[in-house]
Amino acid sequence: MKEKEPMQLDVNSIRQDFPILDQSIHRERPLIYLDNAASSQRPLAVLQSMVDCYEKTYANVHRGIHWLSEQSTEQYEHARQVVGQMIGARHQAEVIFTSGTTAGINLVAHAWGNGHLREGDKILLTILEHHSNIVPWQQLAERTGAIVEFVGLNEQGRVDLETYQDLLDERTRMVAISAVSNVLGNVVPVAEMVGLARSVGAQVLIDAAQHVPHEPTNIIEWDADFVVFSGHKMLGPTGVGVLWGREELLEAMPPFLGGGSMISQVTVEGFTPGELPAKFEAGTPPIVEAIGLGVAAEYLQQIGLAEISRYERELTALAHRELSTIDGLKLLGPAEPDQSGIVSFVVDGLSNQDISIFLDRQGVAVRAGHHCAMPLHEYLGIPNSCRASFYLYNTEQEVRRFVDAVRQVIEKLR
Ligand code: PMP
């Protein structure tokens, strides 16, 4: 079969699905949205599915024996099936809707962590982690007396697997790692790290917030115990995300939040938890958001995650190449090709805040700050950075305009 040409995604037709991108701001500058690692935009199909649900089929799920509730329940459970299939989940019961990555990690840190960690046990993280994959473990350590340790980076700017192996030992109970760094864009060798963690009997949680939206994801290949991600970074709505967990672990864990839906029986003496996945979905879930997320997952799969990943990596490589020619600009992270849709940088003598304000005036939305990764910035010896992050609707022309704007800002502010 003939190899596909590079940059072959039909971006022009994709962009028609995202009217928010088709506007000019600040005196007629075309908007260039490069803040996708913080949150993506959503296509009309997702928005329409949510409006349709509220207009025609909305009711609370699971409990009602009436037509509307049946419709909503069917759509909500269909979304679970679609999202589960997207990541290769074998059982629907293992796919739990949460409010996002942060909620998923907190759920595991409480429901699994409280019962499994004792004083002196170790929780191993990498220095790349988002605060969401640090603070819940620090809180767990405070509750239990466990210790949190961090694996640094090697000379190539990748997770240092030698240190990782040195730090892994029989006291390590949990390894929690992001599959893709939200600052550097590194793709972390998850399967290899899971294999090593297994050899000491540690459990593994993968923060896939930056992976599932951009790369083909197969949890069976990863062989991890828990995988978490957010809807709003993968063309879905805010307020919904997913925790996938190994069934036997989820079965053995006590519920996290108590309330409606998560029980099979309640008496004045106590309660019996319900079956999975309801056991971890207390209260009214984000029904319409989950339905929208299901449509987002279908949309991404129709285009193809492999194709999206290849296209984004080309955009990223282009940004890398062009930015690396700018005097005084330092790119963070390893060089391509393992860069997934994210480019972060600093410029000698310029504040990242000023750079991003200037870029915004040119219509270019990037992010300046610590990107919820203060330990990583401290490790790199910088207080913060500028980050441009791409998605399937960004174009080569937008990347070139962004780089030109960076050149201009440096000339102007220096
Ligand atoms: N982990 C990573 C790697 C992220 O990029 C983010 C979002 N920036 C999060 C966790 C937190 O996701 P949320 O705010 O949707 O819970």
Side-chain angles (χ1 to χ4, degrees):
M1 220 162 70
K2 201 167 155 257
E3 269 285 294
K4 284 188 171 174
E5 295 295 320
M7 300 264 184
Q8 222 193 9
L9 221 56
D10 187 358
V11 183
N12 286 337
S13 102
I14 289 173
R15 285 179 75 89
Q16 286 172 15
D17 295 333
F18 294 84
I20 194 170
L21 301 172
D22 183 22
Q23 55 182 316
S24 296
I25 58 168
H26 301 319
R27 279 186 267 124
E28 297 313 305
R29 308 269 185 202
L31 172 69
I32 299 178
Y33 185 73
L34 303 182
D35 195 16
N36 294 288
S39 205
S40 71
Q41 302 298 343
R42 27 249 16 91
L44 289 170
V46 168
L47 304 179
Q48 195 56 48
S49 71
M50 297 174 75
V51 172
D52 280 351
C53 179
Y54 277 127
E55 273 187 2
K56 297 173 195 147
T57 54
Y58 177 81
N60 210 332
V61 287
H62 297 140
R63 291 181 292 274
I65 306 178
H66 57 77
W67 187 83
L68 280 179
S69 180
E70 280 165 6
Q71 299 296 309
S72 282
T73 303
E74 202 175 291
Q75 290 171 24
Y76 180 73
E77 291 305 325
H78 174 70
R80 192 191 310 278
Q81 200 184 337
V82 171
V83 175
Q85 271 166 3
M86 181 181 183
I87 59 168
R90 290 205 178 111
H91 310 290
Q92 292 309 302
E94 295 177 327
V95 180
I96 291 155
F97 282 122
T98 63
S99 67
T101 304
T102 306
I105 298 172
N106 277 279
L107 190 162
V108 174
H110 278 267
W112 177 85
N114 290 351
H116 282 82
L117 272 94
R118 279 177 296 135
E119 195 167 345
D121 284 346
K122 289 190 350 187
I123 302 163
L124 197 49
L125 315 177
T126 82
I127 201 67
L128 296 173
E129 302 315 314
H130 187 281
H131 296 164
S132 293
N133 199 26
I134 299 176
V135 180
W137 303 117
Q138 291 173 329
Q139 291 174 309
L140 174 61
E142 276 174 14
R143 292 196 295 278
T144 58
I147 300 158
V148 179
E149 289 185 336
F150 290 85
V151 184
L153 306 178
N154 62 18
E155 277 170 11
Q156 288 88 46
R158 300 194 170 90
V159 173
D160 188 348
L161 294 181
E162 277 180 29
T163 318
Y164 175 60
Q165 290 187 60
D166 289 346
L167 290 174
L168 270 179
D169 60 28
E170 68 288 348
R171 294 310 306 261
T172 313
R173 298 273 175 267
M174 168 56 77
V175 171
I177 49 177
S178 52
V180 172
S181 154
N182 73 314
V183 180
L184 307 181
N186 297 35
V187 181
V188 172
V190 170
E192 191 181 346
M193 292 179 75
V194 174
L196 292 165
R198 289 262 170 269
S199 66
V200 298
Q203 238 76 70
V204 186
L205 176 141
I206 309 296
D207 173 352
Q210 299 292 350
H211 195 280
V212 172
H214 304 280
E215 306 284 330
T217 301
N218 186 320
I219 50 166
I220 306 299
E221 279 169 18
W222 279 350
D223 195 31
D225 299 295
F226 303 102
V227 176
V228 289
F229 52 99
S230 300
H232 67 97
K233 294 183 200 283
M234 53 181 285
L235 311 183
T238 54
V240 67
V242 171
L243 160 67
W244 171 87
R246 214 177 265 284
E247 196 166 6
E248 62 272 22
L249 288 175
L250 294 174
E251 288 286 5
M253 282 155 54
F256 174 41
L257 298 178
S261 304
M262 49 67 72
I263 45 84
S264 69
Q265 205 184 13
V266 184
T267 64
V268 287
E269 282 84 32
F271 73 96
T272 319
E275 302 277 309
L276 289 174
K279 176 175 151 185
F280 291 109
E281 292 184 2
T284 298
I287 301 164
V288 182
E289 289 78 3
I291 292 168
L293 175 56
V295 175
E298 277 166 346
Y299 184 94
L300 286 169
Q301 288 177 98
Q302 250 162 32
I303 293 169
L305 267 302
E307 192 65 18
I308 291 169
S309 159
R310 201 171 56 76
Y311 178 71
E312 280 179 31
R313 282 170 189 236
E314 282 173 21
L315 291 183
T316 313
L318 172 66
H320 240 260
R321 264 197 319 276
E322 295 294 320
L323 289 172
S324 66
T325 64
I326 300 177
D327 237 16
L329 184 148
K330 182 171 180 288
L331 285 157
L332 307 181
E336 39 146 357
D338 76 342
Q339 208 80 4
S340 173
I342 293 174
V343 173
S344 291
F345 60 94
V346 288
V347 179
D348 284 347
L350 296 191
S351 115
N352 297 307
Q353 195 85 10
D354 288 348
I355 295 173
S356 87
I357 292 169
F358 184 90
L359 290 180
D360 174 61
R361 293 278 138 201
Q362 308 300 307
V364 184
V366 297
R367 186 154 287 245
H370 51 64
H371 320 304
C372 296
M374 279 185 181
L376 174 63
H377 281 85
E378 195 185 355
Y379 183 85
L380 298 172
I382 49 177
N384 48 48
S385 58
C386 267
R387 178 184 71 188
S389 48
F390 312 108
Y391 213 176
L392 73 170
Y393 38 63
N394 291 123
T395 65
E396 185 182 335
Q397 192 193 31
E398 286 183 324
V399 174
R400 293 192 188 281
R401 285 214 183 132
F402 150 65
V403 176
D404 284 346
V406 173
R407 283 207 181 90
Q408 281 173 33
V409 61
I410 293 176
E411 265 170 38
K412 205 172 162 105
L413 296 182
R414 271 238 174 94

